[in-house]
Amino acid sequence: MAKTTVRHRRWVIAATAVALSASPLTVPAAAEPAPAAPAFADAPEGFASTDGGTTGGAAGSTVTVSTFADLNRYATASEPYVIRVAGTIDVNPFGHEIRVASNKTIIGVGTQGHIVGGGFFLNEVSNVIIRNLTIRDTRMPDDDPDDDAYDYDGIQLDGADHVWIDHNRIERMNDGLIDSREDTTDLTVSWNILNEGNKSFGIGWTDNVTARITIHHNWIRDTNARNPSIDNVALAHLYNNHMQDITGYGNYSRGRTRAVIENGYFDNVQDPYYRDSTATLTETGSILVDCEGRREEGGTTFDPRDHYSYTLDPASEVPDIVGEGAGPQSSIGL
């Protein structure tokens, strides 16, 4: 028996060939089975896994929606739900951010789940999963360059905790693709494509230093600022992210943030990673290609392994691994 396995802990695709030994009677070889569907983790890695973990709506019923009315009804309900999005949903009114209540999973069915013309708002809620969706297209042609006139985010979080944002594609939003604000904590942002945006991923809007955030295996590309901008985060852990074609700045540690960056891949990124005078930052194992500007670290940070277990991929393999695995997947949400 011969076995071939794709090298990545999140991708398990095995093929087995069985050859029968020769005998006087001719027996055909067994047919080779079709490859299994790629396997992805059903629970977050990082800070969203700590202090009881993040389970979303697993304690409640599962519903499938294909209209804005149904999505809004279940997302805002007080009961826990797993909400499967099967189709393209146009948000009404344009630019509206659906107010997601606690104990919800909102997950695309394969690659079918598109949220168009709006996003999600998690305001002082807990235990939410947003997964395997395409969230897109609130960009306004008449907006000012700083995206201030129309505050249309992909996902905005204010004072939320235990949130997992995973395997989404968020693009062409008029303000932030993701904004994690006002002490949002125990947040994991993993395996997303953040694409074609001015403000990619802002973190902060607080004087407190309590937030704990993990950001891993994301593909951030064709963006300008906030990739992310990390202000006053107690513990920020970034690893195995692919940063590509970024014109403004990359990973920026601000305020009293303590940030750890590991095994990233920076391709054509202006100011790949740096800190201000009050923040601390350590970087190890990253690869930089065609990058210009600041790459600065310093100060005392922390050891992420004191808080959770994780496995680092080699930086040289990040473009292939993230390129295959990030964004909505046909095998998730079925």
Side-chain angles (χ1 to χ4, degrees), residues 27 67 84 117 119 126 131-132 162 197 199 206 214 218-219 221 224 228 287 299 333:
V27 180
T67 67
R84 301 167 71 246
S126 180
R131 195 171 191 218
N132 211 49
H162 289 88
K199 299 173 182 176
T206 180
T214 302
N218 299 284
W219 190 358
R221 66 187 188 192
N224 180 31
I287 292 175

Side-chain angles (χ1 to χ4, degrees), residues 305-330:
R305 297 188 192 280
D306 290 340
H307 303 274
Y308 52 79
S309 299
Y310 63 101
T311 302
L312 280 175
D313 292 309
S316 60
E317 298 179 19
V318 163
D320 288 339
I321 291 171
V322 173
E324 288 181 295
Q329 301 294 313
S330 60

Side-chain angles (χ1 to χ4, degrees), residues 12-308:
V12 183
I13 307 176
T16 305
V18 178
L20 301 178
S21 56
S23 68
L25 177 65
T26 302
V27 180
E32 183 175 325
F40 300 97
D42 289 326
E45 190 170 85
F47 282 116
S49 70
T50 64
D51 295 342
T54 302
T55 58
S61 302
T62 297
V63 296
T64 300
V65 302
S66 58
T67 67
F68 173 73
D70 284 342
L71 173 59
N72 190 64
R73 169 190 171 193
Y74 290 111
T76 60
S78 58
E79 302 87 359
Y81 281 106
V82 174
I83 306 164
R84 301 167 71 246
V85 180
T88 297
I89 293 178
D90 293 315
V91 174
N92 185 24
F94 183 86
H96 176 70
E97 295 171 9
I98 297 167
R99 270 53 177 172
V100 181
S102 296
N103 305 312
K104 298 293 183 294
T105 297
I106 305 174
I107 185 168
V109 177
T111 57
Q112 298 177 44
H114 286 238
I115 309 300
V116 181
F120 297 100
F121 184 21
L122 282 58
N123 185 20
E124 298 185 0
V125 299
S126 180
N127 193 31
V128 174
I129 296 170
I130 298 179
R131 195 171 191 218
N132 211 49
L133 296 168
T134 295
I135 304 169
R136 60 179 173 87
D137 292 323
T138 60
R139 183 178 288 170
M140 298 294 289
D142 61 336
D143 190 21
D144 60 290
D146 292 327
D147 294 339
D148 291 330
Y150 304 96
D151 185 11
Y152 301 156
D153 297 317
I155 301 175
Q156 179 176 320
L157 310 97
D158 282 4
D161 71 272
H162 289 88
V163 177
W164 186 26
I165 299 172
D166 178 70
H167 276 103
N168 302 289
R169 182 183 185 106
I170 309 175
E171 60 190 1
R172 297 185 298 275
M173 306 304 287
N174 196 76
D175 194 36
L177 303 182
I178 300 175
D179 276 355
S180 176
R181 303 158 33 110
E182 297 180 2
D183 308 322
T184 291
T185 191
D186 290 335
L187 167 67
T188 293
V189 178
S190 57
W191 296 98
N192 301 283
I193 298 173
L194 304 182
N195 184 49
E196 293 184 54
N198 179 24
K199 299 173 182 176
S200 174
F201 186 179
I203 308 170
W205 290 271
T206 180
D207 294 328
N208 301 317
V209 188
T210 58
R212 310 189 308 171
I213 298 176
T214 302
I215 302 166
H216 73 88
H217 289 94
N218 299 284
W219 190 358
I220 303 177
R221 66 187 188 192
D222 295 325
T223 59
N224 180 31
R226 301 181 184 173
N227 294 291
S229 170
I230 313 168
D231 187 31
N232 282 344
V233 173
L235 304 173
H237 183 204
L238 294 74
Y239 64 95
N240 288 148
N241 295 296
H242 185 193
M243 316 289 294
Q244 186 176 36
D245 296 334
I246 292 171
T247 56
Y249 58 87
N251 300 161
Y252 178 23
S253 182
R254 303 170 52 200
R256 289 176 287 165
T257 292
R258 288 186 289 167
V260 173
I261 301 171
E262 299 182 281
N263 291 24
Y265 195 97
F266 297 80
D267 180 6
N268 189 30
V269 177
Q270 180 68 33
D271 297 332
Y273 55 85
Y274 65 106
R275 66 186 183 104
D276 66 17
S277 61
T278 56
T280 64
L281 184 154
T282 56
E283 183 282 321
T284 57
S286 297
I287 292 175
L288 281 68
V289 177
D290 295 330
C291 295
E292 296 183 352
R294 300 169 68 177
R295 52 200 81 185
E296 303 164 2
E297 54 181 312
T300 301
T301 56
F302 67 101
D303 184 353
R305 297 188 192 280
D306 290 340
H307 303 274
Y308 52 79

